[in-house]
């Protein structure tokens, strides 16, 4: 027993943390076909908290399911409501939210047949993804020996569990060699993205991120592009090479978990001044103002909910 106080929303019911289990012959466990999301809720001022771009995340979950041929037996509205109810039941004022729709047990052959589609949603506290000081000091990275999957081998627009074998291997390789994160190149050798983040560079006055070919259509990526345009920055969704990354003035990752994480080193080469640059810092501070409800212009990106006294747990990274 873990003693973790949070409930999991499991196929329409709230169940204790330790009881949200699956059978060993779950189809997804064998073949990796499930779709999931990573969403964050932030504590705002007063007594309010808000989920960042909940609609876009729920839409992407259902788009991923459409791509994967998974028919989620709940509507988008039911899923949205379940997430908000879960935050309230778990008394969370800030959280990472992880919905997953997967193919349950039944036939174990490749064709999922009539196996049931299950939907589970977890929500729990989660601090900075890339470690202490990542947001303020930046992180070290390595170009991965693994290539980001090609567009006709994997469905890279979808957050499909099996796609993440590539990411997990890249992440483990990079961290076991002493780096904080991996950067994957695409099939043609251009920079694609991090193991779980989109990547941006700022060089010669232009902000660039790879176009949406093999990379995930990140919701934070989209937010950063909108903020950058509003700030009057020159922006291009354009491919770039690893050597252009080495000589960028600034580089950073974006993602729900990673938020906006500055990159201070790639393959032992210092990026810019080796610390977060002014553009990264500006975008980061705009982003945190927005997610914490301090920017009225982007209030539509927030789904507010009210919290009572949050439950306290010792371990913030479950
Ligand atoms: N790329 C990959 C491979 C990811 O897993 C993620 C995290 N979902 C991202 C990019 C960033 O996407 P988002 O900003 O929507 O979290």
């Amino acid at each position: 027993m873990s003693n973790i106080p949070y409930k999991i929303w499991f196929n329409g019911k709230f169940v204790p943390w330790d009881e949200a289990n699956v059978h060993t012959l779950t189809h997804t466990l064998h073949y990796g076909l499930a779709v999931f999301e990573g969403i964050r809720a932030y504590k705002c001022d007063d007594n309010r908290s808000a989920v960042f771009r909940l609609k876009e995340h729920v839409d992407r979950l259902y788009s991923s399911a459409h791509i994967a041929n998974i028919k989620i037996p709940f509507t988008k509205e039911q899923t949205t409501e379940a997430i908000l109810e879960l935050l309230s039941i778990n008394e969370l004022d800030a959280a990472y939210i992880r919905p997953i729709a997967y193919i349950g047990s039944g036939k174990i052959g490749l064709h999922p047949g009539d196996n049931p589609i299950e939907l589970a949603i977890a929500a729990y506290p989660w601090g900075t993804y890339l470690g202490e000081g990542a947001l303020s000091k930046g992180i070290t990275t390595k170009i991965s020996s693994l290539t980001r999957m090609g567009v006709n081998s994997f469905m890279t627009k979808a957050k499909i569990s099996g796609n993440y074998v590539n990411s997990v291997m890249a992440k483990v390789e990079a961290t076991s060699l002493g780096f904080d994160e991996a950067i994957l190149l695409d099939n043609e050798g251009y920079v694609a993205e991090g193991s779980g983040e989109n990547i941006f560079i700022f060089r010669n006055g232009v902000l660039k991120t790879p176009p949406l070919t093999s990379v995930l259509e990140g919701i934070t990526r989209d937010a950063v592009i909108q903020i950058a345009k509003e700030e009057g920055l020159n922006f291009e969704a354009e491919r770039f090479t690893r050597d252009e990354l080495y000589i960028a003035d600034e580089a950073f990752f974006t993602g729900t978990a990673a938020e906006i994480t500055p990159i201070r080193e790639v393959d032992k080469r210092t990026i810019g001044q080796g610390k977060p640059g002014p553009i990264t810092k500006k975008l980061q501070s705009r982003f945190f103002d927005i997610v914490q409800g301090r920017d009225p212009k982007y209030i539509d990106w927030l789904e507010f909910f009210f919290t009572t006294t949050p439950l306290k747990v010792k371990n913030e990274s479950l």
Side-chain angles (χ1 to χ4, degrees), residues 36-38 57 60 148 159 164 167 193-198 215-221 254-257:
F36 69 100
E37 268 305 315
H57 281 284
R60 189 171 64 185
R148 170 78 181 163
K159 272 183 84 73
Y164 282 82
S167 291
E193 61 181 337
S195 67
E197 308 87 10
N198 293 110
V215 305
L216 186 77
E217 213 169 310
I219 291 164
T220 322
R221 175 189 183 279
T254 64
T256 299

Side-chain angles (χ1 to χ4, degrees), residues 1 27-28 59 71 132 144 263 277 312:
M1 289 291 282
H27 190 278
T28 294
D59 282 348
K71 292 199 175 25
E132 190 75 12
S144 183
I263 298 171
K312 291 271 175 270

Side-chain angles (χ1 to χ4, degrees), residues 208-227:
K208 283 189 198 174
T209 192
L212 295 172
T213 47
S214 68
V215 305
L216 186 77
E217 213 169 310
I219 291 164
T220 322
R221 175 189 183 279
D222 175 74
V224 164
I225 293 170
Q226 293 196 46
I227 302 164

